[in-house]
Amino acid sequence: MNEPAITLWSDANYFSPYVLSAYVALHEKALPFSLKTVDLASGAQHTPGWPGYHLTQRVPVLAIEGFELSESTAIAEYLEERFAPPEWERIYPHDLQKRARARQIQAWLRSDLMPIREERPTEVVFAGEKKAPLSAAGQASAEKLFAIAGDLLAHGKPNLFGEWCIADADLALMLNRLVMNGDTVPERLAEYATFQWQRSSVQRYVALSAKRAG
């Protein structure tokens, strides 16, 4: 298989949950790629000349053979279609309905639960920071997360759909915002998040942020 040159752009600290998702997708596909960073703190993403400037001015950005793409779910879906099974590993379920559900979960995690994202930023996950107790809105958001995740994982299996998919990494990240802060999380969900976090592709990204912090 001839593999094209691929570049993934990340934030400089490797704190982005969306870069993590794209990074994991590339590793699960076993696609070699180079990793570059843009300093969001200095506003470098708004500088003309950066590949993501004419897109959304956000990370991640995937660059491949003169084509640039932003937004992590778009990147994952593009990679799944371009580097399709059986030649490459699958990152979405084979079953049509399960695949649609995985995409639903990804869209939900990116568009809802804002109090959790605000009160439990990814510095908790990647830099070991601890935050104050959740506000009433944060607690309500956490209860919603627990209820929906609990239903999704009611089958008792270690992955959402029997076999791993990219939505598992995204859901685990959201749960780990709470788990790693020391918040009370239902045991089954905490175990799921911890199990997912040990996946090699995820740990590779965690090591990047840890190295940067060190």
Side-chain angles (χ1 to χ4, degrees):
M1 295 180 289
N2 292 323
E3 295 162 339
I6 300 173
T7 299
L8 180 68
W9 286 85
S10 168
D11 62 296
N13 292 323
Y14 305 107
F15 283 172
S16 169
Y18 312 118
V19 173
L20 176 143
S21 189
Y23 181 97
V24 166
L26 285 163
H27 269 290
E28 294 291 340
K29 287 285 186 186
L31 291 166
F33 64 97
S34 60
L35 188 62
K36 295 185 179 181
T37 62
V38 58
D39 187 358
L40 304 186
S42 69
Q45 71 273 27
H46 305 306
T47 303
W50 178 58
Y53 174 78
H54 64 285
L55 300 174
T56 58
Q57 299 182 21
R58 303 197 299 182
V59 293
V61 168
L62 181 79
I64 175 171
E65 295 184 327
F67 175 63
E68 286 108 19
L69 183 66
S70 63
E71 299 303 311
S72 57
T73 51
I75 290 170
E77 291 176 18
Y78 173 76
L79 292 173
E80 183 77 329
E81 292 181 14
R82 175 158 182 174
F83 303 98
E87 290 85 1
W88 284 272
E89 292 297 319
R90 188 180 299 280
I91 59 173
Y92 282 100
H94 178 268
D95 178 80
L96 178 63
Q97 292 185 352
K98 290 180 179 178
R99 190 160 64 250
R101 184 73 69 205
R103 289 169 172 160
Q104 172 198 304
I105 292 167
Q106 288 185 291
W108 168 59
L109 292 170
R110 286 159 173 74
S111 61
D112 198 359
L113 309 172
M114 182 58 74
I116 295 177
R117 287 186 278 156
E118 290 179 344
E119 297 178 35
R120 297 293 180 266
T122 51
E123 284 83 352
V124 169
V125 177
F126 299 121
E129 292 187 11
K130 301 297 181 186
K131 301 298 181 180
L134 290 169
S135 66
Q139 190 59 50
S141 192
E143 292 301 327
K144 180 178 182 180
L145 170 62
F146 299 156
I148 294 174
D151 285 344
L152 290 168
L153 295 165
H155 49 61
K157 297 176 182 178
N159 301 311
L160 282 164
F161 304 107
E163 293 185 70
W164 181 90
C165 78
I166 191 64
D168 282 301
D170 292 338
L171 179 57
L173 184 282
M174 184 61 75
L175 288 166
N176 272 330
R177 291 173 184 264
L178 299 164
V179 172
M180 294 184 179
N181 192 70
D183 297 298
T184 301
V185 177
E187 183 177 1
R188 181 163 55 90
L189 298 183
E191 289 176 350
Y192 163 82
T194 299
F195 175 76
Q196 295 298 330
W197 216 242
Q198 297 310 308
R199 196 166 182 89
S200 174
S201 56
V202 175
Q203 282 297 303
R204 284 173 178 263
Y205 187 80
V206 171
L208 290 173
S209 57
K211 182 178 180 180
R212 188 75 177 187

